[in-house]
Amino acid sequence: SSYINGYPDNTIGHNKTITRAETAQIFYNLISDKDVHVTKTFKDVPYDAWYAKAVNTLASMGVIEGVGNGMFEPERSVTRAEFTAIAIRFADKETEGENIFRDIYGGEWFYDSVVSATDYEWIKGYPDGTFRPYNSITRTEAVTIVNNMLERAADKEYIDSHIDELKQFNDISSDFWGYYQIMEAANSHSYDIYGSDEKWIG
């Protein structure tokens, strides 16, 4: 199933940042059993907000956390470190691995999550050896982590030959580095697995 949507103007906003509320909605979309007993709410998450169910459900599951004093800050951009930590908690993965980044240090709250996500090959840093944990994550970077977490990889051959049948976005084309990551996330599809390859069948 798809787990991200484009905008009304038929763009995907590939370089836009993602808010903490949008992040909660992405991971909420991935839950198969959404019948979760809500035990946690936040002062700044109104009960009728579009993201309230996602935020409160994931917080009750221990996947996302507030920022203290009963607050969640739903409209703040989520950082690369925060998104990575949420992915590790969502997948309920062990935290282990070796730090390869020169700007990640032991003792930081996100250290184990970032190191582990690197070990699982969910994330990569920048060519200069940094991870830039406090930078806001882009929509493309976010779906890349989620696809890797889910072991989902777009069938490029199918996409290229069925382009007219798939959701397309005005602001990206196939020469963009994250094009196939976004197509994987935005288009619901059925598939078979051959070895480690995902082959779309419809």
Side-chain angles (χ1 to χ4, degrees):
S1 297
S2 62
Y3 61 86
I4 63 161
N5 296 308
Y7 296 100
D9 63 355
N10 206 36
T11 61
I12 192 65
H14 54 294
N15 283 327
K16 285 186 176 181
T17 59
I18 294 181
T19 66
R20 286 167 54 81
E22 289 171 330
T23 298
Q25 190 64 51
I26 285 175
F27 285 95
Y28 182 76
N29 291 346
L30 300 176
I31 301 172
S32 55
D33 181 6
K34 293 180 169 60
D35 186 21
V36 175
H37 179 56
V38 171
T39 58
K40 193 150 193 173
T41 57
F42 300 95
K43 296 175 187 174
D44 57 349
V45 177
Y47 74 94
D48 57 349
W50 63 265
Y51 50 80
K53 190 164 188 179
V55 169
N56 294 337
T57 297
L58 288 170
S60 299
M61 294 171 63
V63 173
I64 61 175
E65 298 175 349
V67 297
N69 297 319
M71 307 295 278
F72 181 71
E73 296 185 357
E75 300 300 334
R76 177 170 65 75
S77 294
V78 72
T79 67
R80 286 167 54 82
E82 287 174 329
F83 195 94
T84 302
I86 291 168
I88 288 288
R89 289 194 294 264
F90 181 86
D92 196 22
K93 285 286 194 179
E94 295 293 326
T95 51
E96 58 189 5
E98 181 180 347
N99 180 29
I100 64 170
F101 301 116
R102 61 184 179 85
D103 59 345
I104 299 292
Y105 309 99
E108 292 171 302
W109 70 265
F110 50 78
Y111 178 86
D112 287 342
S113 295
V114 170
V115 168
S116 301
T118 309
D119 193 59
Y120 294 131
E121 299 184 347
W122 296 356
I123 60 172
K124 293 178 180 176
Y126 294 91
D128 64 357
T130 63
F131 178 68
R132 305 176 195 176
Y134 298 106
N135 282 18
S136 297
I137 200 167
T138 67
R139 284 164 64 84
T140 308
E141 290 171 338
V143 299
T144 300
I145 290 175
V146 172
N147 287 343
N148 289 341
M149 178 190 76
L150 299 174
E151 298 183 343
R152 287 173 54 162
D155 182 342
K156 296 180 181 180
E157 185 177 330
Y158 183 98
I159 290 171
D160 291 344
S161 60
H162 293 78
I163 205 70
D164 294 338
E165 303 166 28
L166 301 172
K167 285 183 188 173
Q168 289 289 309
F169 303 102
N170 298 333
D171 53 343
I172 58 170
S173 59
S174 58
D175 57 356
F176 171 57
W177 72 266
Y179 173 78
Y180 292 102
Q181 298 283 6
I182 287 173
M183 295 299 284
E184 172 71 32
N187 286 279
S188 294
H189 54 276
S190 51
Y191 60 91
D192 288 328
I193 296 293
Y194 295 94
S196 60
D197 294 329
E198 179 180 313
K199 295 297 182 185
W200 290 20
I201 56 177

